[in-house]
Amino acid sequence: MRTLCASTLIGEFFVIGFAGLVAMKDPDLSMSTVWTVSGIAMFLCLVLCGLVTRPGGIAMGWALQAALIASGFVVPTMFFMGAIFAALWWASVHYGRKIDEAKARFAAQAGSAPSSTPDAV
């Protein structure tokens, strides 16, 4: 799960950076405000890559997805991009858990399977 979620978050990191570039063209926003908000969001993406498997990591990821969608009020394209990344986040969590369960099942089967080679005496 960690690999899939981290991949999604790294993709979001770049999208947030590009959205910051687009938001800079808005005359109502100062450059420092745009890059403070974008920088914090980008930093959170990187931090969440390491926190995904910890308690609350997935919930913080969902909060980031909601914030990304809400950023569409500043950069309208982000409504679409936020929805795409929310879907990717769901898929990463959902299928990542299935992969982790399958790995655990295979590891348990490999550990309980009898050895086909006789022990040397």
Side-chain angles (χ1 to χ4, degrees):
M1 177 172 68
R2 183 176 182 168
T3 303
L4 289 174
C5 290
S7 298
T8 300
L9 290 167
I10 294 300
E12 282 184 68
F13 173 89
F14 289 108
V15 167
I16 291 168
F18 292 132
L21 291 172
V22 172
M24 279 183 14
K25 294 186 179 198
D26 188 343
D28 297 333
L29 300 173
S30 70
M31 192 164 60
S32 61
T33 302
V34 168
W35 288 115
T36 299
V37 172
S38 296
I40 290 170
M42 292 168 75
F43 177 74
L44 285 174
C45 286
L46 296 178
V47 169
L48 282 174
C49 286
L51 296 178
V52 166
T53 56
R54 300 217 173 148
I58 299 298
M60 288 191 296
W62 279 115
L64 182 65
Q65 304 312 312
L68 195 63
I69 293 170
S71 70
F73 289 109
V74 178
V75 179
T77 306
M78 291 306 290
F79 284 125
F80 174 72
M81 293 303 294
I84 294 293
F85 274 100
L88 286 171
W89 182 253
W90 174 84
S92 297
V93 171
H94 178 74
Y95 292 111
R97 285 183 177 153
K98 287 187 179 241
I99 290 169
D100 289 348
E101 290 170 3
K103 282 182 181 178
R105 202 169 42 247
F106 290 137
Q109 288 175 352
S112 65
S115 175
S116 62
T117 58
D119 292 331
V121 181

